[in-house]
């Protein structure tokens, strides 16, 4: 994933910020246990969001433990304790997503980035096989998304909705796996779909200048109006608004304040920084 699903630290309570960091650090530790310490380099805020959502849906957070950072033993950390497979599933999803992102970079990047991808891909290929074996449903959805995305982007006239659909459909289907009944399936899918659509379009807006230089596909390249930023904002706001509507129908207790912060403050702030080029001063990138 791409790291767009962030909190707005200044609007969080201290205990909420500490809980968020604890989930991030817990997922980081799990990725090292399940795969390799190098896979921690692919850890993103997006997969932290996924792990935290799983823990909240299933009420599987059982407290917090104090410890040392797995990257820097001199640094003290807290780790959210999880009673089910939320960390393992999120770790697998992170590895699977990183593998397919590397595949995409091989066909859609400059020379030096492709060279770097070729160096690291053999390692991720091995970890990807392990993740796919343990969570085949996540692998199937990611592979289908990748294939559909490539087909969509081969059409130079592909519009916004068609380009963003594969990512939205994939994340919607991933969240639908957690549903207990038909109503939850519809709500979880809609929430995941709109978040996935927003992530794809955020990445497109973020990469627009580079894609123009390289002649790469970007759905915003086809825009012929006078105010591109206003168009991007309206398009992205549409997904955020529909995601917020679906979110109101999801029963969450654990981490509710953090999710509220993300939908109301974190995502819009990140969106503004991408569309308008504003620097984010509130978010601590180091966690």
């Amino acid at each position: 994933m791409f790291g767009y699903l962030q909190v707005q630290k200044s609007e969080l309570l201290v205990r909420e910020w500490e809980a968020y960091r604890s989930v991030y650090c817990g997922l980081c530790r799990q990725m090292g246990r399940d795969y390799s310490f190098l896979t921690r380099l692919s850890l993103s805020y997006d997969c932290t969001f996924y792990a935290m959502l799983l823990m909240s849906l299933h009420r599987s957070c059982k407290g917090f433990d104090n410890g040392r950072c797995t990257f820097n033993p001199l640094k003290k950390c807290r780790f959210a304790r999880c009673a089910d497979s939320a960390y393992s599933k999120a770790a697998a999803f992170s590895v699977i997503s990183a593998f397919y992102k590397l595949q995409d970079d091989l066909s859609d990047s400059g020379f030096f980035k492709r060279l770097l991808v070729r160096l690291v891909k053999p390692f991720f290929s091995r970890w990807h096989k392990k993740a796919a074996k343990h969570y085949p449903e996540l692998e199937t959805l990611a592979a289908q998304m990748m294939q559909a995305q490539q087909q969509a982007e081969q059409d130079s006239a592909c519009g916004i909705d068609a380009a963003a659909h594969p990512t939205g459909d994939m994340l919607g289907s991933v969240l639908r796996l957690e549903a207990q009944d038909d109503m939850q399936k519809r709500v979880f899918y809609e929430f995941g779909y709109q978040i996935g659509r927003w992530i794809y379009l955020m990445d497109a807006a973020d990469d627009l200048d580079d894609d123009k230089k390289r002649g790469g596909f970007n759905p915003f390249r086809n825009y012929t109006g006078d105010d591109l930023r206003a168009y991007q904002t309206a398009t992205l706001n549409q997904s955020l608004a529909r995601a917020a509507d679906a979110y109101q129908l999801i029963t969450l207790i654990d981490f509710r304040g953090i999710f509220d912060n993300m939908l109301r403050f974190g995502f819009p702030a990140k969106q503004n920084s991408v569309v308008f080029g504003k620097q984010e001063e509130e978010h601590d990138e180091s966690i």
Side-chain angles (χ1 to χ4, degrees):
M1 291 195 181
F2 306 94
Y4 295 124
L5 304 184
Q6 298 184 4
V7 298
Q8 185 76 347
K9 183 181 176 181
S10 63
E11 299 293 336
L12 280 176
L13 299 175
V14 173
R15 59 179 172 80
E16 291 173 338
W17 172 244
E18 290 298 325
Y20 179 72
R21 290 179 55 186
S22 298
V23 175
Y24 182 94
C25 292
L27 179 56
C28 178
R29 183 169 63 176
Q30 189 70 43
M31 291 178 70
R33 288 174 173 174
D34 289 352
Y35 302 99
S36 165
F37 74 94
L38 290 176
T39 60
R40 292 169 176 153
L41 299 175
S42 69
L43 175 61
S44 69
Y45 298 118
D46 300 350
C47 282
T48 303
F49 173 86
Y50 178 51
M52 192 165 55
L53 183 60
L54 293 177
M55 293 168 70
S56 186
L57 288 172
H58 303 300
R59 305 297 308 275
S60 59
C61 181
K62 301 304 179 183
F64 303 90
D65 295 324
N66 294 320
R68 296 283 179 176
C69 175
T70 52
F71 253 33
N72 179 11
L74 298 179
K75 181 180 178 181
K76 293 182 179 180
C77 286
R78 296 185 75 203
F79 301 93
R81 192 164 62 249
C82 183
D84 64 8
S85 61
Y87 277 150
S88 293
K89 185 178 289 187
F93 191 41
S94 180
V95 169
I96 291 170
S97 299
F99 172 78
Y100 283 110
K101 182 66 168 64
L102 290 173
Q103 280 198 329
D104 183 60
D105 288 342
L106 278 177
S107 59
D108 192 31
S109 299
F111 172 78
F112 291 105
K113 188 171 183 179
R114 290 201 306 271
L115 181 62
L116 178 61
V117 169
R118 288 193 176 97
L119 291 175
V120 302
K121 188 182 176 185
F123 298 99
F124 271 92
S125 295
R126 185 173 73 251
W127 303 324
H128 164 252
K129 290 179 181 178
K130 182 178 179 181
K133 180 180 179 181
H134 288 296
Y135 294 96
E137 68 280 6
L138 297 180
E139 164 63 17
T140 298
L141 292 172
Q144 290 174 345
M145 181 276 291
M146 189 69 177
Q147 183 179 12
Q149 197 70 65
Q150 290 174 343
Q151 291 176 351
E153 295 182 358
Q154 287 174 357
D155 180 5
S156 60
C158 180
I160 291 289
D161 291 333
H165 175 73
T167 304
D169 183 58
M170 185 269 291
L171 193 55
S173 299
V174 166
L175 295 191
R176 186 167 55 190
L177 294 172
E178 308 305 319
Q180 302 297 318
D181 54 46
D182 289 341
M183 178 60 74
Q184 280 193 345
K185 286 181 180 180
R186 291 195 292 271
V187 172
F188 288 7
Y189 178 84
E190 176 66 10
F191 181 61
Y193 184 94
Q194 296 303 330
I195 293 295
R197 182 180 188 272
W198 184 79
I199 289 172
Y200 176 86
L201 295 177
M202 280 282 287
D203 189 55
D206 215 359
D207 291 345
L208 182 57
D209 290 339
D210 289 339
D211 288 335
K212 285 181 177 179
K213 292 177 183 178
R214 295 185 290 101
F217 173 85
N218 192 300
F220 289 119
R221 289 186 64 186
N222 297 327
Y223 180 72
T224 57
D226 296 328
D227 194 338
L228 175 61
R229 288 180 176 177
Y231 175 67
Q232 289 174 331
T233 299
T235 304
L236 290 163
N237 282 346
Q238 179 186 17
S239 283
L240 283 186
R242 295 185 66 176
D245 288 341
Y247 171 71
Q248 296 303 320
L249 300 176
I250 300 176
T251 301
L252 297 176
I253 298 177
D254 299 338
F255 310 120
R256 181 80 191 198
I258 302 174
F259 289 118
D260 288 348
N261 173 281
M262 288 180 161
L263 268 295
R264 294 179 59 194
F265 304 111
F267 298 174
K270 185 62 180 179
Q271 178 178 304
N272 287 337
S273 75
V274 169
V275 174
F276 297 102
K278 296 178 181 178
Q279 296 296 319
E280 292 176 290
E281 299 178 355
E282 303 286 358
H283 191 78
D284 183 355
E285 294 291 346
S286 64
I287 291 195

